[in-house]
Amino acid sequence: MTREQEWVAAARQGDQKAFEELVRLYEKRVLALTQRMCKNPEDAAEAAQEAFFAAWQGLKSFRGESSFSTWLYRLASNACVDRLRREGRRRNAVSLDDEELNLDIPSSISSPQEEAERRELGERIGEGLRALPPEYRAVLILREIHQLRYEEIAGALGLDVGTVKSRISRGRKRLRRFLLESGNFSPPLPSKETGKEGRL
Amino acid sequence: MKYCEEYAALLDLYVDGELPAAEMERVQAHLETCPGCRGYVDDALVIRAGFPDIEDTVVPEGFAARVMERVREDAGKDAKIVELKRRSARRRAGTFAALAACCALAVFARTGPGGLSGGSDSASMVTASAGGAAPAGYAMDTGGAEASDDARHDLQMATGPTTAPEEVEAAARAAQIEGEAGMAATAMDREADMDSADAGGIEAGGIEKEASPSGYAEYAECEDETVSPTAPAALPEASKNVVCTAAGGEAALYLTAEEAGDILEGYTPVRETVIVMDDALAGLERWYELTEEEYRWLLDALGRPAGAAAPPVLVVVTGPFE
């Protein structure tokens, strides 16, 4: 049994310290999802908190059929979608304010110019993501940031794998078109190292 | 340059490594000869590179602490419910052990202005009731097995002129619903019956929620049936009734009649619960409302450590009573 499994088992019995360990283990991953699903950092933090609280309340019914992380992502995604729906009812529109997207690009490259370009691209990607329907946004985030396999995404979002394939393909194509049309997308050489899962 | 429609469905799977090995090789071979598809794959990889890493996610300060604060609040609620259930169960168990067969008396009266100062009148009221002549509007049960035979009548009588016949019937129906669960008890209150109805009424099965400012107390109180023995089938329905909201609060102190002695003699109970078990009246609880000052005086009289509670302080004495 891994340490995480031990914490899950203990938390199911009401062990708050064990649950806190799980919160700290997953807070970045959950926030990485909610910060890109929600329209501002405040909503993202609240959605993440709701997800963890829902996990605490639902732990007794968590049967371990999926991994804890997958289950948690589903709760986080649901919390975000609920918020977006409520917000949609209130405003019927989604803000595309760049400053709200919180899509900082890792500063692992040395050249200030490259870093600026990547930051710019990251901002445009964030903007493009915000322009996508939430269902496309969720699959792309789980794929590109959380690096989940299609099957895991399906589990996290309660979809079948075929739907995940379709949404990733359509979502990515829409995002690509958005970047091309915005004029901020000028792909560098194909050999660019991404450091992330996926071929090439 | 556009990508090939034939490969359009495969390119994302290829980028994501979701194709079988043979398909991966086929797509790779195609990319070497198709700039359109290669362009799409390159774009997809650039997009991937543009996404931030999880490690770059900014966690708001105190995030985990806020989550755990909410978790603790939630756990605290659960613990309170469990504690009240446990206390309620303990109290019932003690009652059943202490009360094999007894004459029971049900008297209800609001503590008059001044509480203790209302002493003599209130006391006489109790005495009169104990003698079997319940004043109008005061609950009284003549006790023993005989009482259950006339329980419906007693309930009617006990609830007094302020209680409509429909309420008695409603109480009987509620009792029928919960009767199979076990213990039968009645609690009648001249005024508080009406208070509880105003506060949201009694759900079938005796559980009242939300209406009272101290909902947990009602919840725990009404959970009593979970720890009680099976109700006798022959018991009239009315006497199976459990009314659980008469005083509408959580008792701050539980005493046996022996512990209480005559300390509360000058007070009149605001609520009384008759406990029926195995087709016989098994005991009685008297609920008293005290002011904070009276409560401190009571603790002092009992030789117990001083304690505070928000008024009105509810004190429950379980008897038989003389």
Side-chain angles (χ1 to χ4, degrees):
Chain A
M1 188 181 275
T2 65
R3 200 168 53 161
E4 178 186 326
Q5 287 169 331
E6 288 173 357
W7 286 335
V8 170
R12 286 189 67 183
Q13 302 301 315
D15 186 333
Q16 293 179 25
K17 283 191 175 176
F19 187 72
E20 186 167 2
E21 296 287 357
L22 290 169
V23 173
R24 294 192 185 282
L25 179 65
Y26 279 105
E27 60 184 1
K28 275 195 173 183
R29 280 176 266 191
V30 168
L31 281 159
L33 174 61
T34 62
Q35 284 175 358
R36 285 152 193 89
M37 286 288 290
C38 293
K39 77 175 194 62
N40 61 51
E42 290 76 24
D43 278 0
E46 285 183 23
Q49 194 178 110
E50 283 169 19
F52 279 115
F53 187 63
W56 167 255
Q57 291 193 310
L59 261 175
K60 283 183 180 170
S61 60
F62 173 63
R63 298 177 187 280
E65 288 164 353
S66 59
S67 69
F68 178 75
S69 61
T70 302
W71 181 59
L72 198 53
Y73 294 149
R74 183 188 306 170
L75 296 175
S77 172
N78 289 345
C80 292
V81 170
D82 285 348
R83 284 186 162 269
L84 290 168
R85 281 185 187 143
R86 288 201 295 271
E87 183 68 20
R89 280 199 291 273
R90 281 201 298 270
R91 289 171 46 179
N92 270 332
V94 176
S95 163
L96 290 177
D97 187 343
D98 289 351
E99 291 181 1
E100 295 176 338
L101 296 175
N102 194 19
L103 275 174
D104 287 339
I105 304 300
S107 53
S108 58
I109 50 179
S110 53
S111 158
Q113 185 181 346
E114 282 181 338
E115 186 173 355
E117 286 174 358
R118 291 194 65 187
R119 183 175 296 277
E120 171 72 10
L121 176 60
E123 288 173 358
R124 295 288 80 76
I125 286 174
E127 194 176 324
L129 273 178
R130 305 303 306 279
L132 292 177
E135 57 268 27
Y136 292 171
R137 206 184 307 164
V139 292
L140 279 181
I141 291 167
L142 290 176
R143 172 62 220 153
E144 303 294 16
I145 299 179
H146 295 77
Q147 300 177 28
L148 299 190
R149 313 292 302 183
Y150 285 11
E151 198 174 323
E152 292 170 317
I153 296 171
L157 300 179
L159 304 170
D160 59 62
V161 175
T163 304
V164 172
K165 283 181 190 173
S166 163
R167 287 186 181 178
I168 283 182
S169 180
R170 289 179 188 174
R172 193 177 273 148
K173 286 178 173 65
R174 283 198 192 195
L175 184 56
R176 177 175 180 257
R177 190 170 65 214
F178 176 91
L179 294 170
L180 288 169
E181 289 174 355
S182 68
N184 289 289
F185 190 25
S186 51
L189 294 173
S191 59
K192 179 178 172 63
E193 276 296 327
T194 67
K196 293 184 177 178
E197 188 180 301
R199 290 296 301 262
L200 298 184
Chain B
M1 190 173 289
K2 295 195 72 175
Y3 47 81
C4 302
E5 288 301 322
E6 180 191 347
Y7 281 87
L10 298 177
L11 295 179
D12 289 290
L13 296 171
Y14 173 79
V15 168
D16 294 328
E18 294 278 348
L19 285 174
E23 285 291 286
M24 292 293 282
E25 286 176 13
R26 188 165 76 88
V27 173
Q28 199 156 14
H30 174 73
L31 291 177
E32 289 172 8
T33 61
C34 179
C37 288
R38 196 165 58 237
Y40 178 83
V41 169
D42 289 346
D43 289 353
L45 294 174
V46 171
I47 290 171
R48 171 165 296 161
F51 274 87
D53 289 330
I54 284 175
E55 285 309 308
D56 298 312
T57 301
V58 178
V59 177
E61 194 176 339
F63 174 79
R66 282 194 296 279
V67 170
M68 293 313 299
E69 188 179 343
R70 197 169 165 190
V71 164
R72 275 188 284 275
E73 282 174 13
D74 181 63
K77 285 179 189 173
D78 287 346
K80 186 172 182 184
I81 289 172
V82 168
E83 169 59 22
L84 286 166
K85 284 182 178 177
R86 197 160 52 84
R87 193 160 59 186
S88 181
R90 267 206 316 268
R91 186 158 49 83
R92 287 295 181 210
T95 300
F96 293 142
L99 309 176
C102 69
C103 290
L105 164 70
V107 179
F108 293 94
R110 287 270 178 218
T111 303
L116 270 176
S117 62
S120 58
D121 286 346
S122 299
S124 64
M125 223 172 263
V126 171
T127 305
S129 298
Y138 286 68
M140 191 197 85
D141 195 318
T142 54
E146 291 174 10
S148 60
D149 292 337
D150 293 315
R152 185 178 296 272
H153 167 73
D154 290 345
L155 180 61
Q156 174 78 66
M157 175 181 164
T159 51
T162 58
T163 306
E166 311 84 72
E167 288 178 299
V168 177
E169 291 302 322
R173 283 196 299 277
Q176 188 172 19
I177 292 168
E178 77 138 40
E180 293 180 8
M183 184 198 76
T186 59
M188 292 152 279
D189 187 337
R190 179 183 58 172
E191 296 174 12
D193 274 353
M194 300 304 291
D195 292 345
S196 63
D198 291 342
I202 301 160
E203 291 187 2
I207 297 176
E208 183 191 36
K209 298 171 182 173
E210 298 179 357
S212 166
S214 54
Y216 292 123
E218 281 79 30
Y219 182 80
E221 181 69 15
C222 296
E223 283 292 295
D224 284 346
E225 66 266 27
T226 63
V227 296
S228 53
T230 304
L235 197 66
E237 287 175 4
S239 63
K240 296 178 184 177
N241 188 27
V242 172
V243 179
C244 53
T245 57
E250 178 189 355
L253 181 65
Y254 291 95
L255 300 170
T256 64
E258 186 179 345
E259 288 172 326
D262 59 359
I263 294 175
L264 288 167
E265 193 175 330
Y267 289 85
T268 50
V270 296
R271 169 186 174 185
E272 198 145 302
T273 303
V274 178
I275 303 160
V276 180
M277 180 176 159
D278 294 333
D279 209 7
L281 292 169
L284 179 69
E285 282 180 349
R286 286 177 177 163
W287 292 62
Y288 296 86
E289 276 184 5
L290 307 183
T291 64
E292 200 170 5
E293 185 184 358
E294 289 165 347
Y295 178 59
R296 282 198 292 270
W297 172 86
L298 174 65
L299 290 176
D300 183 55
L302 290 167
R304 297 195 178 189
V313 183
L314 292 171
V315 175
V316 177
V317 180
T318 305
F321 299 94
E322 294 298 322

